[in-house]
Amino acid sequence: MFIQTESTPNPATLKFLPGQSVLEVGTADFPTPEAGEASPLAKRIFATGGVKGVFFGMDFVTVTKADDVEWDHIKPGILGAIMEHYQSGASVMGANHQVTSGHAEHTGEDGEIVGQIKELLDTRVRPAVAQDGGDITFHGFERGIVYLHMQGACAGCPSSTLTLKMGIENLLRHYIPEVIEVRPVAA
């Protein structure tokens, strides 16, 4: 098994490509070791030490390291954990894992606008940020402000503010006049 690695715009995050499916659909975010208990693979990666977060896409795993460790010291252990996992035949997610779109539900009068926002995120934004090892999901819409949740390589990335303001905000404002601003939300 050969696992490729790619850098991401976030220097604290690396993208690992195992050459096999990671998730059949959707994404899974494990911002803490406790959250990682839901996944045998995430649990193995956290156990290597120096790992702050794990994120799964359809064909990739992104790992965010702790600030006080270097990639040279933890990358071999992470590669080993991913390889061991796939060779063991264990499932990536625990039995209780529910697949979702990642977007927060929205009820209320702005349902049509929210539907348009989610559609643009799914077709234009999420495929692009997945290339960088992350995901951006809808969190809420209130008084013209769209709240988005950044995951994987996007969470804590130095260029995420620029991506939100110059990219996503401009895109949404162009197609949906009711959108005034885009803001990130904490996990």
Side-chain angles (χ1 to χ4, degrees), residues 2-187:
F2 179 72
I3 302 169
Q4 294 181 331
T5 59
E6 292 180 359
S7 59
T8 71
N10 184 347
T13 303
L14 276 180
K15 183 176 176 181
F16 295 82
L17 297 137
Q20 300 183 32
S21 175
V22 177
L23 291 178
E24 293 298 320
V25 337
T27 61
D29 189 26
F30 307 100
T32 64
E34 295 75 31
E37 293 292 319
S39 162
L41 176 56
K43 195 171 167 180
R44 277 185 203 246
I45 294 170
F46 276 113
T48 64
V51 173
K52 194 164 99 176
V54 177
F55 179 81
F56 299 153
M58 289 174 54
D59 63 349
F60 67 88
V61 175
T62 55
V63 177
T64 303
K65 70 176 186 66
D67 295 335
D68 60 344
V69 297
E70 296 297 322
W71 279 117
D72 291 346
H73 298 143
I74 65 169
K75 186 176 166 184
I78 295 167
L79 286 165
I82 294 170
M83 190 172 298
E84 284 174 16
H85 178 81
Y86 278 97
Q87 289 174 342
S88 76
S91 66
V92 170
M93 297 301 299
N96 297 332
H97 175 67
Q98 299 291 325
V99 176
T100 66
S101 71
H103 296 304
E105 292 300 318
H106 179 85
T107 57
E109 61 193 51
D110 297 322
E112 188 176 320
I113 294 169
V114 169
Q116 292 174 338
I117 292 168
K118 289 179 180 181
E119 175 72 18
L120 284 169
L121 289 174
D122 287 342
T123 59
R124 303 274 182 110
V125 176
R126 293 176 84 185
V129 296
Q131 293 295 314
D132 287 337
D135 197 11
I136 297 177
T137 58
F138 174 81
H139 186 79
F141 179 72
E142 188 177 327
R143 293 191 205 109
I145 300 171
V146 177
Y147 296 92
L148 300 177
H149 183 155
M150 304 179 89
Q151 301 172 312
C154 296
C157 177
S159 61
S160 65
T161 302
L162 189 62
T163 299
L164 272 181
K165 290 294 178 189
M166 302 307 292
I168 300 169
E169 185 176 287
N170 287 344
L171 173 79
L172 293 178
R173 288 173 65 188
H174 176 78
Y175 287 103
I176 307 168
E178 294 85 354
V179 172
I180 298 167
E181 185 182 357
V182 173
R183 293 184 189 166
V185 294

